[in-house]
Amino acid sequence: MIKEYYQFIKEYLRLANPRKDYLLITFLTALFYKAFALLIPFFASWIIKYATVGDFNTTYLSLAFLGISYVLYHLFLYFNYRIYGKNMQYCYTNLHTKILNKLMTVDENFTKKISKGKLLNSINSDVLDIGDMLDTLSELLMTLVQVFAVFVIISCFNLCLAIIFAIYAYIYIASRNYYDKKVNEYYEKQKKNNDQYSSLFSQILNGLQEIKTFHMLPKLHQKLNKIKKEYSKNYMTKRKYYVRRENDVRFITHTFSILLYIVLVLLMIRNIIRVDILVLVIGYFESMIAYLDDVIESSSTIREVNVAVKRVDTILHYRSKEKLSFGDYEKETVKGILEFEHVSFSYGNKEIIKDMNLKIIPKQITAIVGESGTGKTSIFNLILRLYQVDNGMIFLDGKDIYEYSKPSYSSMISVVNQKPFIFNMSIRKNLDFVDKDITHQIEACKRVGIHEFISTLPDGYNTILREDATNISGGQKQLISLARTLLTKSKVLLFDEITSSLDPETADHITHLLKDLKKDHTIIMITHKPELMKRADRIVVIKEGKIVGDGTHKELMKNNTHYAWLQTKKSASKMGVFDND
Ligand SMILES: Nc1ncnc2c1ncn2[C@@H]1O[C@H](COP(=O)(O)OP(=O)(O)OP(=O)(O)O)[C@@H](O)[C@H]1O
Ligand SMILES: [Mg+2]
């Protein structure tokens, strides 16, 4: 068990990394207030001892010592609480930062291994539990010191009494340990149910629209109820062991109290101890019950926190399938020339991109087209450095993309997806993430053509964007997200089917916008829409991970049967009609 605790403490220290000074002050203040707590029964017995023999001077002195002990006890306890709060906050912020930083580096498999619910629970309660840990540890260690000190003191007076104390402590700890393990086992199960519940609930929140449309609620209710039932079952079993523990432990304490009183009376009858020793021993026995309680409480908290530590540890030590490492090459601006040289890439054994050679130049709209599942988004993922190529190289302005530093590269390349991610904050705050300058923000919004609309809103740029907001359409949100992308000053803009869920008018507007943006950007767009393909300056046709066509719409229509076939496929939604200039 000691090894287990040692291991746990090591893991905790590595994870929470508490400040050394906080660590020291916590242990020292705990040591002092525990030491003064030990002195209190001592001085109380002195008062009785000297009062009974009529030595009132020493009685008053003992009384003064008792008072001072109380004052110092509370003083150190106060300092201990103060440092506890500071350490808690430090640890909490520290762990949150670590988790957030980690989330920025994980790959897609992360959410398969660690559910959203588990992650949210970890961020909320596990981190708080771990923050408490330093206090619990010092409490445990110092209380053990106290228990040991009580044994030493009692055995100085009478060995028989010390043996009773020891047997009591052993039986008490063994029985509580047994029940605590059981309680903890079911507590862990409860936590697991909690994770499942939160996970399902967060999925429900994400899919409210679909749930309503497809009338999925009864089925979801069933699922939620099943988890709830299991939760209640585990809770009741935990409760059962909890109640049994309380009863058994009280019974043991009462039995030993009686035994102790009998022995004390016998010792007094035989004149082996005096009344002050009797008071002292009883005082220490009462303290001992509290100390043992503290020891057990702390160790069961430690066991619970162990679960939290392990959960946070799995998040922080999650290893992305492939370790991507980037260089430190910095560049202020780039022209935006992207080149694929013999690039191949696979997910596991499945080859997705096959020996691809491709050069994409600025001031053009390049469309990447092809059937579903043919590897278009994978090309973007490679450009975004989310994965490492298996073979070949990708260059940006002639430099291997993996050699660029992280901040430098991410400021040059941006992606706009079908479903833009917008925070539940004001338009202004959403844009602030990239550039706080309001004139730049307005410029960007003007360029994407959303400024006028924003100006008509009662709160203007302070309008709060919400998923369920009715004052702003999906298309308008898309435009705001586009404005945010422009604020990044990225030279290369990747658009992954952004128009597919938009109304014809906004889609039409965005297409015109791309024409404007190409003047100073490299534009690459993935699209399934024949009407949109026609608008591109160059079309790259992908089939099963290979380029099977490359040219303008007119050229490809003449000599590329696959492209001609893609053109015959019906557009997902009716678009505005474009004049083919
Ligand atoms: N993370 C992944 N792990 C394993 N396989 C994947 C992963 N992402 C995509 N794939 C597979 O790789 C292939 C290419 O996917 P990709 O998303 O690049 O296609 P796409 O051309 O963008 O398709 P769509 O037009 O439907 O968006 C598909 O067969 C897909 O199932
Ligand atoms: Mg795709």
Side-chain angles (χ1 to χ4, degrees), residues 20-255:
K20 302 265 178 314
D21 48 347
Y22 288 171
L23 203 74
L24 187 72
I25 300 173
T26 306
F27 277 89
L28 280 183
T29 46
L31 179 72
F32 282 117
Y33 87 75
K34 298 268 176 193
F36 285 108
L38 267 181
L39 287 177
I40 289 167
F42 218 79
F43 292 128
S45 82
W46 274 15
I47 295 169
I48 292 169
K49 180 180 169 183
Y50 294 108
T52 46
V53 295
D55 180 353
F56 291 109
N57 280 343
T58 322
T59 306
Y60 292 138
L61 198 65
S62 306
L63 206 59
F65 281 147
L66 184 72
I68 293 170
S69 298
Y70 269 122
V71 170
L72 289 175
Y73 166 83
H74 285 289
L75 201 67
F76 282 109
L77 190 61
Y78 168 76
F79 285 132
N80 190 265
Y81 277 140
R82 284 290 300 265
I83 200 73
Y84 158 76
K86 281 193 175 184
N87 179 62
M88 174 86 189
Q89 210 164 12
Y90 173 79
C91 181
Y92 188 79
T93 325
N94 204 3
L95 275 179
H96 265 212
T97 315
K98 274 190 187 172
I99 293 177
L100 267 180
N101 286 342
K102 184 71 196 183
L103 290 183
M104 295 296 119
T105 66
V106 296
D107 59 13
E108 296 167 330
N109 290 319
F110 180 77
T111 40
K112 285 183 202 152
K113 204 170 162 209
I114 296 159
S115 71
K116 227 181 189 178
K118 194 169 175 177
L119 190 65
L120 288 177
N121 281 341
S122 274
I123 289 174
N124 285 330
S125 61
D126 289 347
V127 167
L128 273 177
D129 285 350
I130 297 171
D132 262 341
M133 200 51 218
L134 184 59
D135 189 57
T136 318
L137 270 181
S138 78
E139 179 71 28
L140 176 67
L141 208 70
M142 294 309 150
T143 318
L144 284 174
V145 172
Q146 270 182 318
V147 170
F148 181 71
V150 169
F151 278 130
V152 174
I153 296 169
I154 298 294
S155 47
C156 285
F157 292 113
N158 189 288
L159 207 59
C160 177
L161 290 173
I163 290 170
I164 293 178
F165 268 57
I167 296 174
Y168 166 69
Y170 177 78
I171 295 180
Y172 183 95
I173 288 181
S175 95
R176 268 207 67 166
N177 225 16
Y178 166 76
Y179 286 121
D180 278 356
K181 263 197 180 150
K182 287 283 176 198
V183 168
N184 204 45
E185 185 186 323
Y186 287 92
Y187 174 71
E188 268 187 51
K189 285 184 182 170
Q190 248 180 282
K191 271 204 154 186
K192 216 178 204 171
N193 297 143
N194 243 346
D195 286 346
Q196 291 167 338
Y197 201 85
S198 317
S199 189
L200 192 55
F201 224 96
S202 85
Q203 287 175 49
I204 291 174
L205 289 179
N206 286 338
L208 277 181
Q209 196 68 38
E210 283 83 352
I211 291 168
K212 271 190 242 164
T213 321
F214 298 112
H215 192 56
M216 295 177 192
L217 200 60
K219 279 247 160 61
L220 284 167
H221 251 307
Q222 269 178 9
K223 270 186 184 281
L224 286 172
N225 279 341
K226 204 175 149 210
I227 301 173
K228 250 199 236 159
K229 250 190 200 157
E230 205 163 313
Y231 179 90
S232 309
K233 208 175 101 196
N234 287 327
Y235 171 77
M236 289 314 289
T237 321
K238 186 186 90 173
R239 189 84 207 141
K240 180 183 84 188
Y241 281 112
Y242 183 82
V243 172
R244 271 169 56 181
R245 178 185 79 183
E246 295 307 296
N247 281 339
D248 285 13
V249 158
R250 266 192 212 135
F251 177 74
I252 293 166
T253 304
H254 292 157
T255 314

Side-chain angles (χ1 to χ4, degrees), residues 376-377 496-497 526:
K376 302 178 298 293
T377 301
D496 197 346
E497 290 189 57
I526 292 174

Side-chain angles (χ1 to χ4, degrees), residues 385-528:
R385 307 198 303 191
L386 297 177
Y387 293 93
Q388 177 98 42
V389 296
D390 297 337
N391 280 308
M393 289 178 100
I394 306 173
F395 300 97
L396 172 65
D397 279 22
K399 186 97 187 160
D400 181 354
I401 57 166
Y402 298 100
E403 284 185 23
Y404 284 88
S405 75
K406 234 179 171 179
S408 182
Y409 195 76
S410 54
S411 69
M412 289 170 201
I413 306 225
S414 286
V415 65
V416 183
N417 291 313
Q418 208 182 90
K419 228 181 155 189
F421 176 72
I422 299 265
F423 283 99
N424 278 0
M425 295 177 188
S426 67
I427 298 174
R428 175 102 207 251
K429 285 210 170 118
N430 266 288
L431 299 176
D432 275 354
F433 280 111
V434 184
D435 188 341
K436 285 196 160 184
D437 190 326
I438 186 73
T439 48
H440 291 168
Q441 293 180 357
I442 292 173
E443 235 171 68
C445 288
K446 274 187 178 160
R447 193 157 183 199
V448 301
I450 190 74
H451 173 72
E452 268 181 33
F453 168 74
I454 295 175
S455 312
T456 63
L457 293 169
D459 291 327
Y461 277 80
N462 293 322
T463 306
I464 307 284
L465 298 173
R466 277 204 199 89
E467 265 177 65
D468 53 356
T470 45
N471 54 347
I472 287 179
S473 74
Q476 283 152 344
K477 257 191 250 171
Q478 182 71 267
L479 290 178
I480 292 168
S481 116
L482 203 54
R484 188 175 59 184
T485 307
L486 290 190
L487 279 174
T488 64
K489 303 265 184 291
S490 296
K491 269 279 178 269
V492 182
L493 302 180
L494 312 177
F495 296 91
D496 197 346
E497 290 189 57
I498 52 161
T499 56
S500 59
S501 61
L502 297 182
D503 60 281
E505 248 172 70
T506 324
D508 196 2
H509 174 73
I510 287 190
T511 338
H512 283 291
L513 182 66
L514 292 189
K515 284 203 164 231
D516 170 51
L517 288 178
K518 80 173 183 185
K519 285 185 227 149
D520 47 2
H521 290 92
T522 303
I523 308 268
I524 313 174
M525 65 169 176
I526 292 174
T527 183
H528 280 285

